[in-house]
Amino acid sequence: MPKFEPVLSRNWNDPEILSVKRYESKGGYAASRKALTTMSPDQVVDLVKASELRGRGGAGFPTGLKWSFLPKDRKETFMCVNGDESEPATFNNRYLVEKDPHQFIEGILIGCFATRASTAYVYLRFEYIKAIKILEQAIAEARAAGHLGKNIYGSGFDLEIWCHRGAGAYICGEETGLIESLEGKRGWPRIKPPFPAIEGAFRKPTVVNNIETLACVPHIVERGADWFKSMGTPKSYGPKLYTISGQVNKQVCVELPLGVTTNQLIEEHGGGVWKGRKAKAAIPGGISMGLLTKDEFDVPLDFEEIRKTGCLGLGTAAVTVLDETTRIIDYLYNTSRFFAHESCGQCTPCREGTGWLYKTIKRIRDGGGRIEDLDLMNHLANNMGITPGTTICGLADGAAWPIKNAIAKYRPELEQFIRENVNPAARIAPVQEAISAGRSPLPSNTSMFVPGIGIAKSATS
Amino acid sequence: MATIIIDGQSFELPEGAKFNAIQAAKHFGIDIPYYCWHPALSVVANCRMCEIEVGTKDPATGEIKMLPRLVPGCQTPARDGTVLVTESAKVLEHRKNIMELLLINHPLDCPVCDQAGECGLQDYSYEHGRAAHRFVEERNVKPKKEVSDLIVLNQDRCIMCTRCVRFTREIPGTAELHVMRRGDHGEIAIFPDQPVDNPLAGNVVDLCPVGALLDKDFLHNQRVWFLSKHDGVCTGCSTGCNISVEENAGKVWRHKPRHNPYVNDYWICDEGRYGYKAANSPTLLGGNYVLEGKDHHGVPTDRFVKRLNETLTTRILDKQSVLGILSPYLSVEEAFAAAQWLASLTNRVELALGPVPVRGEDLTFAPDKTKGRSGDTSFIVPRPFTISAEKAPNRAGVEMMLDHFGKGAVPFEKALESVASHPIVIVFGGSPDESWIEADQVAALRKAEVLVLFDTTINPLADVADFVAGIASFAEKSGTYVNRDRRLQRFEAALPPREGVWPLLDLIAIVSGDGKAPIRSQEILKAAARVVPGLAKVEDGLVPELGLNLDSKDQPIPDAGFQDDWTLANVSTV
Amino acid sequence: MTPTTLPTPRMIPDSLRQKIESYVPRYPNKKAVTLPALHMVHSHFRCVPYQAMKEIAEILEITPAEVADTMSFYGFFPQAPLGDVRVWICRSISCMLRGGDELLEHACKNLNIEPGQTTADGKLTVEFAECLGICDHAPAALSDDGRVFGPLDESSLQKMLDDLRKGPIPLEEL
Ligand SMILES: Cc1cc2nc3c(=O)[nH]c(=O)nc-3n(C[C@H](O)[C@H](O)[C@H](O)COP(=O)(O)O)c2cc1C
Ligand code: SF4
Ligand code: SF4
Ligand code: FES
């Protein structure tokens, strides 16, 4: 295999690249000029289709295909750039904005031209204070240099880019949650259909794309679909920004062709597991994905192969390493706490399920667990999410996956933990046990409850 | 013809129906449980109770393809070839799961909850719940709060369906309610000092599928299964909202809306809602009275009728003429019977319309689909709701009788001027409001030599009339009204007439000596239809459930008649 | 429970109001300015009082309840007044694996506050956060002037707290 030349990160060690001049001097905005002045929007869409670029935001949906879903007769289109980046352990979008904002702006410009969107909103999480500052400055410079505004390059195409700050809600990364948030509402995802391409922001056809997805586009325009497909593994082409964090020596963001392995990442880029320890497991792409056991570290981290391990997918390609001393129960405690905190609360299975799972896992961790709790957790996890069809969005799948995945892969460890960690103070309250067993928690003469349901009918009629 | 397959059976969808799976199934008698969906509000699919298995049948090959995952029925359009499975093991198991999840943080306080008996949670628990509780963790505790002077919110009972929030945003458009925080700490709330005070506010209580939003006016007054429900029509204005008048132990306890897509859809205004109080008013007339000297003396009906008839006969033989005043609160039948009786007394009779109260301007709430949550809105048929400025139920119906028996609708002010030429004045009232007549009007009428009043309340005119007959109140009578759109609507008596008081129809039958009480209002309507041209459509005396437009043909409304099951729970027989 | 009818003096100054209004042309409707407006009001007052929410509602032609709906959904807008600097200590997976939970506890103990509270001198508010997107610094912290701290240990945490108590830095220095 030829040595991989960085694509998205090629300018990252050049601090001057933040200026539009410098970016132009290195060949920047040539691709956007090419697209706008020599290609039609549909030709750009076809090119991106041919490159088989898949969305980098988590779902891996083919970008060109998504663009082609827009209704042909549309009058107005919006582009929403997804920079909410809240999946724990993920920070590659931040690098893209902070270290080479014009590459990203150029990507937006071409993406908007292809989809005929003349307004783009970049939804950035508020925590990216520095990135927002850099991006706003870069947008102003790009505008002054004629890459944005009216009649760009004399092509007749207009574009304005606005930065929209989030306010601390993971769910606003979900595309319709993002759109609701952009519209000034709570970030409650919408039911689909209608999909954003048909009715999105402000009830108009809308494209939602991740920052990294768009950053790939100028390179595809410049160097062609075949070049793009020369990198990666089947059905997973192109360069990818992987992040490595957790219990490794070096926590970094590196660009590699899609399909590297966890072992490669840890050993070649993460400086090995920290404190001289061995690895126990790794999260392949944000905590929603589940766990790769040590034995699965040679599976290519791409859109297809990783699913075969029982993980949800590649997600954000944010690899988090757990060393041999880390307890699975602590990992579950952390993930379930996250999802209970971030569930938007719309769908019953997610709202109640994430809270229930967190409380149960906390009780187990505190020493009040029962073996049957694992089955209960499994049952709850199996019945929440868009996979079984019981929720509006995929957050619930992400909440369920670590749990069912860990129970499948680490059940013996969890059972052992439950047996060996008994803390009377953490035991289930007797009143709850009574209700659960179908006994009334009240003295019998006041009982008005039907077992299990706790609702009086006979007593009151 | 569009065919839909539900649980293996094929059904033809009605023409023009834009049903979702829940409506379609219901149309063919199959229940799909749901909470968050409401036929008049945007679809959000957040409760997940209504999930079913969905597929399509290929018209060419007849092959059925099912989706691999469950799908909410509320967001599934019923189209030609749609296949629904509502009773599979997977669906039933899912319902158990949802019921369990909805109850984990729900208090076990049905014995003290006002909603018990008409609660969506209670109902579905029996049908779809799981026998054993698996939740052993601590429950979230949430507060009780007031969202208006009249509405209390028990947050711990709320299932976050957001019906109430969507209602205030999509129907009155006032958006006073909102969701606060997120996840399982979410709550419904108002902005401090900005209560839910739009004219339709009370509807949020009806919409709430559980005992979260409750009407303080009704709170702890009655267990709902002791209430008997009677189909009524609100007399608060000329819109004629369809209501359920709910009574027990001789008192009306509340008004609830009844769905009628041609009139009020699912709503009533607060004025109509609390209008029930007039039915229990202590100022209702308790019998028949004759003025002797300065005082009214109560007399039994037979003696009252005898004295009234003697007086009238003598004077009419004396060729004295009669001015009859019919109030817009009379039913069609009452107005017919009254006018017919007056006409039978003498041909020297003039008929006029009683005062028609008008307040402010018509207030129309026209829901705008685009104001609702974005998403699929194709199932929603936004229907405007109007609160009429004309505060009486039956001006149109009474006018028809005046047209037929008299010289048209002589307005009240004009009638007052002609009191001088009519020594006998006979007034048929019926307003629940004691102040329906003003002092100067009373004085003008009192100029008559004989002043007869049939009415429901002790009011300024009753204070001076020579003959005062108490008659059945709006809650004690049956009949029909004609609303502002000329829709004839039937209402039932909710209470028996008060002790010592007759319904006007019976009283007229007794006074005119040609009928045997009790009189059925339907018979009078039939009789009226035979002679009054505008009523020809009801010659059999039967009025359809949703009423009948007297002038034009109704456009069929395929989604009519859908109502939350739990509110219909007929528990009065328990 | 009658609505307050007393005329309350305006709290959003004209300059800020104009800044909010200047965002209106960016979006097809005014409501979309809710989040930007909340941010602007927050940076001005370092909290969003009810009166300000009412005024935002008035500017954007929506109801105060709609503003509250949006605001309360997000973790960013505090109900209680903040210290001069607000710092988030991350508790999500990468930071947790490297001691984030303990650092949060440590910081709070040190300052004698609970997570979410402000020090008695009003200088510093310490909160937990879910992943801040700075896992390359895990265990990490972020202050609301934009400074990123980490990887932290007990001593660098102490240094961070001391630094933060000196007050915020201007955006230009970031
Ligand atoms: C709970 C949840 C959170 C998400 N968070 C993000 C995010 O932070 N950033 C992102 O780009 N996509 C996120 N997504 C995926 C988006 O919904 C959407 O698929 C993506 O932005 C599309 O862009 P792409 O096609 O370029 O990947 C999230 C999805 C879910 C279900
Ligand atoms: S699945 Fe969870 S996060 Fe997604 S919409 Fe439903 S409740 Fe909200
Ligand atoms: S208060 Fe009632 S109507 Fe409103 S969200 Fe809660 S359960 Fe639904
Ligand atoms: S009624 Fe369909 S999800 Fe609530």
Side-chain angles (χ1 to χ4, degrees), chain A residues 257-280:
Chain A
L258 267 166
V260 294
T261 68
T262 311
N263 265 334
Q264 274 171 299
L265 283 173
I266 297 175
E267 298 310 325
E268 292 168 25
H269 304 278
V273 179
W274 75 345
K275 299 186 181 172
R277 292 182 190 153
K278 291 202 190 68
K280 174 178 194 162

Side-chain angles (χ1 to χ4, degrees), chain A residues 78 88-91 94-95 121 123 125-130 133 162-169 171-172 181-188 202 245-248 251 274 283 287 320-322 326 330-331 334 337-338 341-342 344, chain C residues 23 25-29 31-36 39 43 66 68-70 72-77 88 91-94 96-99 101 128 130-139 142-146 151 171-174:
Chain A
F78 290 107
T90 312
F91 51 95
R94 192 185 98 237
Y95 270 58
Y121 299 102
Y123 192 102
R125 58 180 309 187
F126 83 85
E127 292 89 341
Y128 287 176
I129 298 167
K130 190 168 167 193
K133 177 185 145 187
W162 304 112
C163 220
H164 194 96
R165 296 175 70 188
I171 195 59
C172 293
S181 178
L182 175 71
E183 290 183 1
K185 307 176 202 157
R186 56 178 36 236
W188 271 8
F202 309 103
S245 62
Q247 293 166 333
V248 285
Q251 307 187 94
W274 75 345
I283 302 168
I287 60 169
T320 311
V321 178
L322 279 61
T326 298
D330 291 332
Y331 152 82
N334 185 273
R337 181 177 67 183
F338 175 81
H341 188 256
E342 297 299 336
C344 83
Chain C
Y23 271 60
R26 297 186 178 191
Y27 304 92
N29 65 37
K31 185 169 182 168
V33 182
T34 307
L35 213 44
H39 274 301
S43 18
E66 288 172 285
D69 188 315
T70 302
S72 68
F73 181 77
Y74 301 95
F76 181 75
F77 304 104
W88 292 279
R91 68 173 195 184
S92 281
I93 191 78
S94 300
M96 166 281 221
L97 288 170
R98 297 170 72 108
D101 285 22
F128 74 77
E130 298 299 354
C131 184
L132 293 162
I134 47 175
C135 321
D136 43 348
H137 300 273
L142 172 80
S143 56
D144 66 347
D145 53 9
L171 190 60
E172 300 78 56
E173 284 175 27
L174 199 61

Side-chain angles (χ1 to χ4, degrees), chain A residues 35 46 60 89 103 113 127 131 145 301 317 363 365 377 403 405 434 447 454:
Chain A
D46 289 343
Q103 164 180 251
F113 175 70
E127 292 89 341
L301 293 171
R363 173 168 53 75
R365 183 171 175 263
M377 285 157 56
I403 291 166
N405 183 273
S447 170

Side-chain angles (χ1 to χ4, degrees), chain B residues 4 7-8 51 177 211 400 414 437 544 560 567:
Chain B
I4 176 169
D7 296 334
E51 302 220 32
L177 286 172
M400 283 169 77
K414 198 113 176 272
I437 189 152
T567 63

